[in-house]
């Protein structure tokens, strides 16, 4: 793979708790992931991004990190993680891990030391009283009091105390953490809440000094070569967003504007044009993301009357037409795969899993649910353990009872059932990723004028992608259809369908 493998890579996101369980305790783990590496290779991906795998009390699914240099025992051991990285590399698959620099865990050695010794509090934001009226992003106040009367800041759950990035020790610690994992073969980091690290008295998002952190991190990454830094940067202002992608900062960042788009030709075209206009002048590759572990599964979202995504869960449980959602999710997948840059596939997206919206409340684990007083159902519905095989739960996930229950109806969606069905979502992803690898990836596109309700463009290789978002079938341009998300009749591309032509 080339030095700049990340520019056009298809990156598969593994939410480890829900991927595959190797030891029968009902929670996904490294043993399960290692056993399923051939599946991922066969799917045709270039890299795996794993959500945090560090020791954690799991107050926020592992985004409350107690030790940045270890592996959560439920997931396995450091030795297993090293073997996993080696096995992935043997298959020519890169490994990206998650780093969480904005906050740590109340179970981290630093926080325990801070609690025990008020003189050791400068690695966090402690104060005699709350310094502002900030609300936690998960709901409720962002300051929590400790037994001796002081308060500490947590932008997320109280179990996730924010780190103080004005303290040079925090900088040294994270540079060392990067090296720790680069030395063990990690090919890159996905940086959690990347724009939030620096705080002033009145603001915490996107303050200029955050760029000093990433300039330094880039130097560290460059010492190793071929390593990638990927920012989780939710910023509507594209000029500010682009600053993170300057040549001496992060390599890429997730495209949340595209992810949040409605299934609407004007909105999607706007987002694609904006993305290209933002990335092209600075030479950074765009990224295309339809889902992740924080957002509603596309099959459900695209079947609703309002197909956009916004945090807060307001659309949760609103009616969704599964057939329509499925058709659009297929069309969206081929559209995203054909766009220039890198692509993210969240586990289960390739199986067309829907959001599970009827989880019993008492099983919900996401802190968003409890902290919003139940107003926000949280993100558990997109984190249900994967169905691999068989006719009933746990569908080959592992021998134990999965940590979140799987719907009975998923028997039709197992990887095994889809493997032999040529028209399945799994086979659409396999074929799409295989063609993408040969004909697409990094580069540019040229729009074709096929009408306002059609997104059509040609890529450098000559492959043309046409998505019909209108009501009526449209004639396809000249060429041979090499892949389509739905049936094509008499040369007409139906509504909510994408075709690739050469
Ligand atoms: C973004 C992560 O994707 C999300 O899952 C997590 O809850 C927050 N950051 C806090 O770490």
């Amino acid at each position: 793979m080339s030095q700049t493998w990340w520019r056009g890579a298809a990156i598969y996101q593994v939410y480890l708790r829900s991927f595959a369980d190797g030891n029968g305790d009902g929670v996904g783990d490294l043993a399960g992931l290692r056993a399923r590496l051939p599946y991922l290779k066969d799917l045709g991906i270039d890299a795996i991004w794993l959500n945090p795998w560090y020791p954690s009390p799991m107050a926020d699914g592992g985004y409350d990190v107690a030790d940045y240099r270890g592996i959560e025992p439920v997931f396995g051991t450091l030795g297993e993680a090293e073997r996993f990285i080696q096995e992935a590399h043997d298959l020519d698959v890169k490994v990206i891990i998650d780093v969480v620099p904005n906050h740590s865990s109340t179970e981290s050695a630093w926080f325990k030391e801070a609690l025990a010794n008020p003189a050791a509090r400068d690695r966090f934001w402690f104060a005699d009283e709350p310094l502002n009226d900030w609300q936690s992003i998960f709901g409720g106040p962002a300051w929590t009091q400790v037994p001796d009367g002081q308060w500490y800041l947590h932008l997320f759950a109280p179990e996730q105390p924010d780190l103080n990035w004005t303290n040079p020790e925090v900088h040294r610690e994270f540079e060392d953490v990067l090296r720790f994992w680069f030395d063990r073969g990690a090919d890159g980091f996905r940086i959690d809440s990347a724009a939030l690290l620096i705080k002033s008295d009145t603001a915490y998002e996107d303050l200029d000094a955050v760029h000093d952190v990433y300039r330094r991190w880039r130097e560290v990454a460059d010492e190793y070569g071929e390593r990638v830094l990927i920012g989780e940067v939710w910023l509507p202002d594209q000029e500010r967003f682009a600053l993170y992608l300057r040549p001496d900062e992060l390599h890429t960042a997730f495209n949340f504007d595209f992810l949040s788009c409605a299934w609407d030709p004007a909105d999607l075209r706007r987002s694609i044009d904006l993305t290209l206009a933002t990335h092209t002048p600075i030479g950074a590759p765009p990224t295309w993301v339809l889902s992740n572990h924080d957002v509603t599964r596309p099959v459900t979202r695209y079947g609703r009357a309002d197909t956009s995504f916004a945090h807060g869960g307001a659309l949760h449980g609103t009616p969704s037409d599964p057939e329509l959602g499925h058709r659009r999710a297929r069309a969206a997948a081929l559209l995203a795969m054909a766009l220039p840059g890198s692509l993210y596939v969240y586990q289960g997206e390739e199986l067309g899993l829907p959001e599970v919206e009827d989880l019993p409340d008492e099983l919900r684990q996401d802190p968003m649910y409890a902290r919003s007083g139940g107003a926000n159902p949280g993100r558990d519905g997109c984190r249900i353990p994967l169905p691999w095989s068989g006719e009933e739960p746990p569908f080959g996930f592992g021998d134990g009872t999965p940590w979140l229950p799987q719907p009975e109806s998923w028997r039709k969606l197992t990887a095994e059932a889809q493997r032999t069905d040529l028209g399945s979502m799994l086979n659409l992803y396999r074929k799409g990723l295989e063609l993408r690898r040969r004909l697409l990836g990094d580069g540019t596109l040229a729009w074709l004028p096929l009408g306002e309700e059609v997104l059509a463009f040609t890529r450098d290789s000559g492959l043309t992608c046409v998505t019909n978002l209108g009501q009526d079938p449209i004639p396809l341009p000249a060429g041979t259809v090499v892949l389509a998300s739905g049936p094509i009749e008499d040369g007409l591309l139906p509504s909510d369908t994408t075709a690739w032509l050469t």
Side-chain angles (χ1 to χ4, degrees), residues 60 63 103 138 156 160 190 192-193 232 293-294 379 383:
D60 180 23
Y63 282 96
H103 45 269
F138 291 159
F156 295 92
Q160 295 168 291
R190 175 266 191 193
D192 187 68
S193 306
E232 190 212 10
H293 64 293
D294 292 330
R379 302 159 294 179
R383 299 174 176 179

Side-chain angles (χ1 to χ4, degrees), residues 171-191:
H171 289 249
R172 283 197 299 275
E173 168 72 357
F174 276 89
E175 286 162 28
D176 192 65
V177 165
L178 298 186
R179 287 206 167 82
F180 180 90
W181 291 105
F182 281 148
D183 287 338
R184 281 162 182 75
D187 298 290
F189 285 92
R190 175 266 191 193
I191 305 162

Side-chain angles (χ1 to χ4, degrees), residues 42-43 330 334 337 421-438 482-484 500:
D42 178 68
L43 182 59
R330 289 175 65 92
L334 289 196
M337 282 185 210
D421 172 2
L422 291 182
S424 68
M425 187 72 103
L426 178 60
N427 278 316
L428 184 76
Y429 269 79
R430 286 177 66 225
K431 281 184 228 143
L433 291 170
E434 193 256 321
L435 277 173
R436 181 183 182 278
R437 188 178 262 258
R438 282 194 281 125
V482 289
L483 188 59
W500 289 359

